Amino acid sequence: MQTAQETAELLLLTVPQVAQILQIARGRAYELVADGQIPSIRLGRSVRVPRTALVGWIERATSGRELAGMTENTYRPAMRLANPVGRGHSRRKGG
């Protein structure tokens, strides 16, 4: 495993490294890359995220123009994202 300093110096990141940097689940990072929300490139069968593209994506997200591919109108606080609509909400009260 690489140290944080070594990861900070890489030009291209693996998806697990992106997940670690963003402090999200590895599966979620793969979803964001597969959906094209996080910019990536293919090198043969490998997928890499250019560090500059990730930084730009984060800057756009924090400026309110983009957040994981969502517009400002569809943004929901992180607590809501942890329990997406449709999961765990199928039980009816009183039954």
Side-chain angles (χ1 to χ4, degrees):
M1 180 173 237
Q2 295 177 328
T3 65
Q5 180 64 30
E6 290 170 333
T7 301
E9 295 173 2
L10 296 174
L11 294 176
L12 297 174
L13 304 167
T14 64
V15 177
Q17 288 169 330
V18 169
Q20 182 180 12
I21 289 167
L22 297 177
Q23 298 180 351
I24 61 175
R26 188 174 67 173
R28 179 67 178 138
Y30 275 105
E31 288 174 9
L32 293 171
V33 168
D35 291 344
Q37 296 177 32
I38 293 179
S40 64
I41 60 172
R42 276 205 170 276
L43 299 170
R45 292 179 14 186
S46 300
V47 176
R48 296 292 183 264
V49 176
R51 175 171 291 284
T52 55
L54 181 63
V55 169
W57 180 79
I58 293 168
E59 288 173 352
R60 287 189 304 278
T62 56
S63 71
R65 291 186 303 208
E66 178 183 325
L67 183 62
M70 295 185 229
T71 64
E72 291 178 61
N73 295 336
T74 59
Y75 168 75
R76 292 188 177 97
M79 289 179 65
R80 296 277 310 266
L81 291 176
N83 190 7
V85 175
R87 292 185 185 172
H89 296 286
S90 61
R91 294 185 208 162
R92 295 183 183 186
K93 289 186 179 181

